[in-house]
């Protein structure tokens, strides 16, 4: 099975059915320590290969995709526009941007909890490759690991 088919099955599963609206997916591709070639942008204004594939899948299967590496967009107001949050991420997404591989703005540490709130309120979540088990290892709440516990890592 191809990578594109696996992602499309995951996205279709995460997308609830809406009668009138086109489902919207926010694809976040920030890389903290290591940036895989598939999410690297040759130019800031051009989509990476992974972003192009998921955007094309959206056109094929009827959902709209917004792609970004900008951590400032991980906030309650922005996420409210979407039905699915798709992470193809790596590392501590709230570390300062100057220490990140892709130099994109980081997630505000005070707002990272909105990811879990989005899901708790019924939003879908897809994490591929590092977007699940290799993201937010240092995010702790006592002995709990909120993000890693959510993805089952």
């Amino acid at each position: 099975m191809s990578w594109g088919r696996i992602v499309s099955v995951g996205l279709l599963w995460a997308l609830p059915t809406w009668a009138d609206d086109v489902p919207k997916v926010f694809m976040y591709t920030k890389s903290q320590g290591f940036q895989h070639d598939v999410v690297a942008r040759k130019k800031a204004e051009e989509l990476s290969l992974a972003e192009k594939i998921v955007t094309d899948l959206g056109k094929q299967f009827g959902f709209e995709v917004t792609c970004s590496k900008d951590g400032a967009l991980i906030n309650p107001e922005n996420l409210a526009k979407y039905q699915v949050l798709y992470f193809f991420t790596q590392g501590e997404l709230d570390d300062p941007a100057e220490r990140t591989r892709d130099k994109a703005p980081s997630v505000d540490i005070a707002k990272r909890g909105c990811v879990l709130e989005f899901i708790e309120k019924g939003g879908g979540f897809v994490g591929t490759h590092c977007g699940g088990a290799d993201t937010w290892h240092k995010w702790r709440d006592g002995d709990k690991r909120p993000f890693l516990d959510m993805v089952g890592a």
Side-chain angles (χ1 to χ4, degrees):
M1 185 176 267
S2 75
W3 186 86
R5 286 190 181 141
I6 292 169
V7 170
S8 64
V9 168
L11 284 169
L12 291 173
W13 176 79
L15 286 167
T17 330
W18 284 272
D20 299 324
D21 295 333
V22 174
K24 293 178 178 62
V25 175
F26 182 71
M27 182 176 185
Y28 184 51
T29 59
K30 179 155 186 57
S31 299
Q32 170 57 30
F34 179 82
Q35 180 167 237
H36 292 278
D37 290 342
V38 72
V39 294
R41 292 181 173 183
K42 292 179 180 164
K43 296 180 182 174
E45 66 279 0
E46 291 180 7
L47 296 179
S48 68
L49 176 60
E51 293 167 326
K52 288 176 187 174
I53 289 170
V54 174
T55 299
D56 288 346
L57 288 169
K59 292 174 186 170
Q60 182 179 351
F61 291 102
F63 56 91
E64 182 181 306
V65 181
T66 301
C67 302
S68 183
K69 292 180 171 293
D70 185 352
L73 296 176
I74 302 295
N75 65 66
E77 298 77 26
N78 187 56
L79 295 185
K81 302 173 191 173
Y82 300 95
Q83 287 76 43
V84 174
L85 178 56
Y86 176 21
F87 270 27
F88 198 133
T89 55
Q90 190 281 324
E92 302 304 318
L93 305 179
D94 46 24
D95 273 356
E98 65 271 7
R99 293 195 340 223
T100 67
R101 174 69 71 181
D102 58 21
K103 305 295 185 216
S106 298
V107 175
D108 181 339
I109 196 166
K111 294 184 180 172
R112 68 182 176 189
C114 75
V115 170
L116 300 180
E117 291 168 9
F118 172 81
I119 296 160
E120 288 169 357
K121 292 178 181 175
F125 179 82
V126 175
T128 55
H129 195 52
C130 297
D134 195 21
T135 296
W136 270 325
H137 284 269
K138 295 178 185 174
W139 181 359
R140 302 279 190 212
D141 183 7
D143 61 347
K144 295 182 181 175
R145 308 167 311 155
F147 182 81
L148 292 175
D149 291 347
M150 184 271 297
V151 297

